[in-house]
Amino acid sequence: MKPQVKRRALSVVAAMLTGIFMAGSALAADIPAKAAVKDSASAKLPVIHAQLTSPPFVPPATNRKSPAKVIVELEVIEKEMAISEGVKYMFWTFGGSVPGSFIRVRQGDTVEFHLKNHPSSKMPHNIDLHGVTGPGGGAASSFTAPGHESQFSFKALNEGLYVYHCATAPVGMHVANGMYGLILVEPPEGLPKVDREYYVMQGDFYTTGKYREKGLQPFDMEKAIDEKPTYVLFNGAEGALTGEKALAAKTGEKIRLFVGNGGPNLVSSFHVIGAIFDKVRFEGGTNIQKNVQTTLIPAGGAAIVEYDTKVPGSYVLVDHSIFRAFNKGALAVMKVDGAERKEIYSGKELDSVYLGDRAQANLNAVTVATNSAEKGTLTLQDQINAGAQLYAGTCSVCHQGNGAGLPGVFPPLAGSDYLNADHNRAVRAVLHGLNGKVTVNGKEYNSVMPGMSQLNDDEVANILTYVLNSWDNKGGKVSADQVKTARSKAPATKAEAH
Ligand SMILES: [Cu+2]
């Protein structure tokens, strides 16, 4: 086991050095080509500074009838950001966001690209734009050490929606850390007018800790090589596009989503729950497919999807490889406001069906509890607040939002003698599941509760602390350490019940 890990680490270093060396030597060879583009094409073109946007926003249409020389300035910034509530990650970004800044040009434009690498960076970086015709897509000409800037030019020959990404060795690691984004090359006549455009990009992430394990999580090369992501995310963080940050729209609008997939590994089955895509420019190309439910977006690929918002409510964007949506974070929301349309859809809005704990306006209480746990100042109230938000997504489907359960099917957690009698038994029920006969408040239940070992120690502790301090229960507190101990023990059994 150990030697293999070592060998991998070594080969990573070797690959990194080769990458630096190769990129360095290619830089010199590339200069004549760069000069040629500049001289012939861009001499008398009007000069425009590209307006870049952070996700989920998209720059306005170019609205031009003729080509221009477009100057793009993009800065690489390595920075720590939240990847989930209470979980931090050192992202490497193009422009300070994941995905990187959106670039919008017109077919026929000559793009003068300036790539800066912030002085605080630890790594060299470069950029490979899939919209570039030429070796490496710009990678060799843009290799940039920390505190430096490089420049190259290319002509946007083909229209389409293209991915760009860092291609510095180890390439997979740079991409896995968030180094990708989209560049739209509009057709000469522009894209048809719509009411709203948004920028959404999927990526898979690999951390040494498990899903939602708190604290600063390092990148895990082994998991990345094995293609076993801890997170699959839209726009670089769980909750980047939910709650208060959900995409906004009104009924009766035409929506256009520029959807990319940075990978590094996974292919996306992109779907919007409750919407049908009227049009998809699949693979970011020119052909249009109509009436699509789910569109496939390859790693390093993109699609433009369009639909009309007819019925108000929350529309959930997912990767329909569905465990990724509900257990790895690949879930975003578009909130459509407007009058009901009963002739199209009679039901009322029920967020929690598909949203789980994301139905909460935000999960900030989880971050608060994590921060105070790190400082050693975790209070009972912190735990209760965090637990309340998580309960909604994990337990309420069966035990109900008010803890009352369902007669004969799900036992109550409210005023439950079974729960209050033995907290450790309750911990084991959550971790390992519970089945066989149990008696709660004098009533017998003989059903199955599935184990939820995917929850972290702090999550189980906070949920149960919330439950113990709600709905006529007797109070008390469950600690993360208590859960850690219980994890290694045998399941709760009916034999323990009375
Ligand atoms: Cu990079």
Side-chain angles (χ1 to χ4, degrees), residues 84-88 212-216 363-378 382-383 386 390 458-459 462:
S84 181
E85 277 73 22
V87 191
K88 281 172 273 174
R212 290 187 177 178
E213 195 170 313
K214 306 301 184 298
L216 177 63
L363 292 174
N364 190 41
V366 176
T367 308
V368 172
T370 307
N371 291 344
S372 50
E374 272 173 9
K375 281 187 254 146
T377 58
L378 184 69
D382 288 338
Q383 283 195 272
L390 296 169
D458 65 305
E459 293 175 320
N462 295 346

Side-chain angles (χ1 to χ4, degrees), residues 40 76 90 146 264 310 324 339 482:
S40 63
V76 173
M90 178 54 88
K310 299 192 180 81
R324 298 176 188 170
Q482 215 174 322

Side-chain angles (χ1 to χ4, degrees), residues 76 92 94 124-126 166-168 174 179:
V76 173
W92 299 348
F94 284 110
H125 301 285
N126 66 8
C166 183
T168 304
H174 284 250
M179 298 200 77

Side-chain angles (χ1 to χ4, degrees), residues 245-256:
K245 292 190 223 144
L247 302 171
K250 296 204 176 76
T251 48
E253 289 186 326
K254 255 192 195 324
I255 308 293
R256 175 180 292 139

Side-chain angles (χ1 to χ4, degrees), residues 165-452:
H165 62 89
C166 183
T168 304
V171 176
M173 180 178 179
H174 284 250
V175 173
N177 283 342
M179 298 200 77
Y180 44 76
L182 292 179
I183 175 170
L184 172 67
V185 181
E186 290 179 355
E189 70 282 9
L191 292 172
K193 234 188 100 48
V194 293
D195 298 298
R196 281 176 208 262
E197 294 181 329
Y198 283 118
Y199 170 23
V200 177
M201 197 155 180
Q202 184 172 321
D204 28 300
F205 293 85
Y206 305 81
T207 63
T208 50
K210 58 185 217 166
Y211 175 64
R212 290 187 177 178
E213 195 170 313
K214 306 301 184 298
L216 177 63
Q217 289 293 332
F219 169 70
D220 189 324
M221 190 68 168
E222 292 289 313
K223 279 192 193 168
I225 292 168
D226 294 342
E227 305 190 15
K228 294 210 166 101
T230 328
Y231 293 87
V232 181
L233 302 170
F234 293 120
N235 290 6
E238 243 198 313
L241 297 171
T242 63
E244 293 147 353
K245 292 190 223 144
L247 302 171
K250 296 204 176 76
T251 48
E253 289 186 326
K254 255 192 195 324
I255 308 293
R256 175 180 292 139
L257 302 180
F258 296 100
V259 191
N261 183 7
N265 288 320
L266 301 187
V267 166
S268 173
S269 302
F270 184 72
H271 176 78
V272 177
I273 298 172
I276 297 158
F277 304 145
D278 298 316
K279 287 186 200 166
V280 177
R281 280 176 167 251
F282 53 96
E283 296 174 1
T286 317
N287 285 344
I288 291 176
Q289 174 76 296
K290 292 184 179 165
N291 303 318
V292 175
Q293 57 193 305
T294 300
T295 193
L296 209 55
I297 309 182
I304 304 177
V305 312
E306 293 179 15
Y307 54 91
D308 293 349
T309 49
K310 299 192 180 81
V311 178
S314 287
Y315 291 80
V316 183
L317 286 59
V318 294
D319 180 337
H320 216 297
S321 289
I322 212 74
F323 270 102
R324 298 176 188 170
F326 298 111
N327 299 80
K328 294 186 169 178
L331 184 152
V333 174
M334 173 170 280
K335 188 102 178 62
V336 177
D337 287 322
E340 295 288 348
R341 294 279 304 274
K342 297 283 185 204
E343 80 283 12
I344 300 177
Y345 184 69
S346 68
K348 62 174 193 277
E349 192 186 341
L350 229 190
D351 279 352
S352 56
V353 172
Y354 272 122
L355 284 171
D357 54 25
R358 291 283 148 200
Q360 302 289 320
N362 67 64
L363 292 174
N364 190 41
V366 176
T367 308
V368 172
T370 307
N371 291 344
S372 50
E374 272 173 9
K375 281 187 254 146
T377 58
L378 184 69
T379 63
L380 181 69
Q381 196 57 49
D382 288 338
Q383 283 195 272
I384 293 171
N385 294 346
Q389 299 193 321
L390 296 169
Y391 176 88
T394 35
C395 320
S396 71
V397 272
C398 298
H399 295 288
Q400 306 301 297
N402 60 3
L406 280 183
V409 189
F410 303 120
L413 299 180
S416 159
D417 57 359
Y418 184 97
L419 168 70
N420 288 293
D422 185 344
H423 297 175
N424 282 325
R425 183 175 59 184
V427 172
R428 294 204 300 286
V430 172
L431 288 176
H432 308 295
L434 191 62
N435 59 65
K437 267 187 209 139
V438 292
T439 307
V440 183
N441 298 344
K443 295 210 174 77
E444 214 169 72
Y445 295 83
N446 190 356
S447 185
V448 177
M449 168 164 148
M452 277 163 266

